[in-house]
Amino acid sequence: MRNLSPALRHRARMLAERTAGAAEPLGVTTGNAYDLMLYKLADDRRRLKSIQSVERKIEVKSTLLPDYDQWIDGVLAGGKGAQDDVVAALLVWHIDTGAYDRALVIAAYCMEHKFTLPDGYSRDIPTMMLDEFAAAYLQGKLGDDPQHAVTVLGAVEALTAASDAPDQARAKLHKAIGLAMVAVLDQHDEADIAPALLEQAGVAMAQLQRARALSESVGVKKEMERLERRIKRAADSN
């Protein structure tokens, strides 16, 4: 749909909005337009399955996502919460390709309406989000702007706070948030913490402590010790 004229893109979005709006809350989306999107998704997933390289899969997903923009926008605008496997699967694709802000918008809708992921996905949405967003930061994919990373990861924490999920998955998210907060502190000074930033340093420590409380194997002990020394120096010099 990326090559459609503005008028046709608007028409596609309105069709998605009407289709999503006609489905009952807690029901399942139906209709010819939805069936066509499911068919396209299945075809694209078959194409991706034939690719062995994970890096190449992500590149292809990035080229495919614009084809679904009008559908997603229409569902978010007019949907009443009926299960939509297209939107649920594309939530994962947006995270995979680094479209984190867009993913959070889609995730909020999916979480509000208790969506499940389609066949072929082994995790539920909250666990997937905890795992994938934490991994994105810890693997350096979300690390260019630490403050933005803190905002994104904090949104994931808020969205998943009331959900049941494995402790290990939640521990990784707390670790990622804590380390992102430390990275923000490092932008000011990698050695010393200014008195004005002591409260922020304490919040970062609380995140790391929570991660370790949930899972001792999460690997934050050394980071906690370093941060504790920095906090002590800052407090002593205050």
Side-chain angles (χ1 to χ4, degrees), residues 16-28:
E17 188 171 334
R18 287 196 298 271
T19 300
E24 292 297 322
L26 303 180
V28 177

Side-chain angles (χ1 to χ4, degrees), residues 43 60 172:
D43 192 49
V60 172
K172 286 190 294 184

Side-chain angles (χ1 to χ4, degrees), residues 19-76:
T19 300
E24 292 297 322
L26 303 180
V28 177
T29 305
T30 58
N32 291 336
Y34 179 60
D35 288 342
L36 286 172
M37 296 306 296
L38 281 175
Y39 180 84
K40 173 175 171 48
L41 179 63
D43 192 49
D44 287 341
R45 289 179 72 179
R46 279 193 293 271
R47 177 184 172 187
L48 290 165
K49 192 174 182 179
S50 69
I51 301 171
Q52 297 185 61
S53 166
V54 174
E55 183 178 51
R56 177 60 182 153
K57 284 180 190 283
I58 292 172
E59 291 174 357
V60 172
K61 284 179 181 178
S62 294
T63 67
L64 293 172
L65 277 177
D67 293 341
Y68 296 94
D69 278 345
Q70 308 309 315
W71 182 264
I72 294 172
D73 288 344
V75 172
L76 296 180

Side-chain angles (χ1 to χ4, degrees), residues 26-200:
L26 303 180
V28 177
T29 305
T30 58
N32 291 336
Y34 179 60
D35 288 342
L36 286 172
M37 296 306 296
L38 281 175
Y39 180 84
K40 173 175 171 48
L41 179 63
D43 192 49
D44 287 341
R45 289 179 72 179
R46 279 193 293 271
R47 177 184 172 187
L48 290 165
K49 192 174 182 179
S50 69
I51 301 171
Q52 297 185 61
S53 166
V54 174
E55 183 178 51
R56 177 60 182 153
K57 284 180 190 283
I58 292 172
E59 291 174 357
V60 172
K61 284 179 181 178
S62 294
T63 67
L64 293 172
L65 277 177
D67 293 341
Y68 296 94
D69 278 345
Q70 308 309 315
W71 182 264
I72 294 172
D73 288 344
V75 172
L76 296 180
K80 299 176 182 176
Q83 173 71 28
D84 185 317
D85 284 353
V86 176
V87 171
L90 295 176
L91 166 60
V92 181
W93 287 22
H94 278 82
I95 299 171
D96 290 343
T97 58
Y100 302 118
D101 292 331
R102 173 74 157 169
L104 287 173
V105 174
I106 300 169
Y109 181 84
C110 292
M111 294 286 292
E112 178 185 359
H113 300 293
K114 296 180 171 50
F115 272 27
T116 59
L117 290 173
D119 291 343
Y121 293 94
S122 59
R123 296 169 295 181
D124 58 22
I125 288 178
T127 303
M128 179 276 296
M129 290 180 61
L130 291 167
D131 281 337
E132 298 304 323
F133 276 96
Y137 182 77
L138 297 174
Q139 294 172 7
K141 300 174 185 176
L142 188 55
D144 291 343
D145 181 351
Q147 187 58 61
H148 180 245
V150 170
T151 300
V152 169
L153 296 169
V156 175
E157 181 183 19
L159 282 171
T160 60
S163 302
D164 183 32
D167 289 343
Q168 181 66 25
R170 201 172 296 281
K172 286 190 294 184
L173 183 73
H174 284 293
K175 174 182 179 178
I177 295 173
L179 295 183
M181 288 181 170
V182 171
V184 173
L185 294 172
D186 290 345
Q187 289 182 321
H188 297 274
D189 190 324
E190 291 189 5
D192 297 319
I193 298 173
L197 298 176
L198 269 175
E199 182 177 351
Q200 184 174 335

